[in-house]
Amino acid sequence: VQLVESGGGLVQAGGSLRLSCVTSGRTGSSVAMGWFRQAPGKEREFVAAINWSGGWTHYADTVTGRFIISRDNAKNTMYLQMNSLKPEDTAVYYCVTEGTRGVYGSAWWLGDFGSWGQGTQVTVSS
């Protein structure tokens, strides 16, 4: 599966952005997917995950209530709607697919990754 993110940019604190992740390949619409982010000098961190149908989602505490993950399998696209952005949301955002090892069960975002996108930069100014 190949993943391509878009939608990043510069926004003022309190603003909104919507990221997109287009998938290509046979299994793109049949796997769980998610978003991670990495700020300069920091570890990569989990943001949100969504199951293959879009009927179940999970968020990091830092973004709960502000970000919404969704997907449109007919368009092979996953989204991340980011509202009430804060300077601490500044990071490169990556989309990722669930891996196949199954060692974490349904909590695949703990370390069972498939394909990664190249990332899109989000910068939130204060």
Side-chain angles (χ1 to χ4, degrees), residues 1 3 31-32 95-101 108 111-117:
V1 178
L3 310 175
V31 295
C95 61
V96 59
T97 62
E98 178 184 11
T100 59
R101 293 185 295 157
W108 61 270
D112 185 11
F113 307 122
S115 300
W116 291 87

Side-chain angles (χ1 to χ4, degrees), residues 49-111:
I50 188 167
N51 73 339
W52 71 271
S53 69
W56 181 90
T57 58
H58 177 66
Y59 298 92
D61 290 343
T62 52
V63 306
T64 297
R66 299 188 299 122
F67 290 10
I68 300 172
I69 188 172
S70 62
R71 66 192 297 169
D72 183 341
N73 287 337
K75 296 182 178 179
N76 293 324
T77 304
M78 177 180 65
Y79 304 98
L80 185 68
Q81 177 66 43
M82 305 186 295
N83 302 318
S84 302
L85 283 161
K86 305 175 181 180
E88 50 264 44
D89 294 318
T90 295
V92 177
Y93 284 71
Y94 299 90
C95 61
V96 59
T97 62
E98 178 184 11
T100 59
R101 293 185 295 157
V103 295
Y104 295 100
S106 60
W108 61 270
W109 56 87
L110 296 178

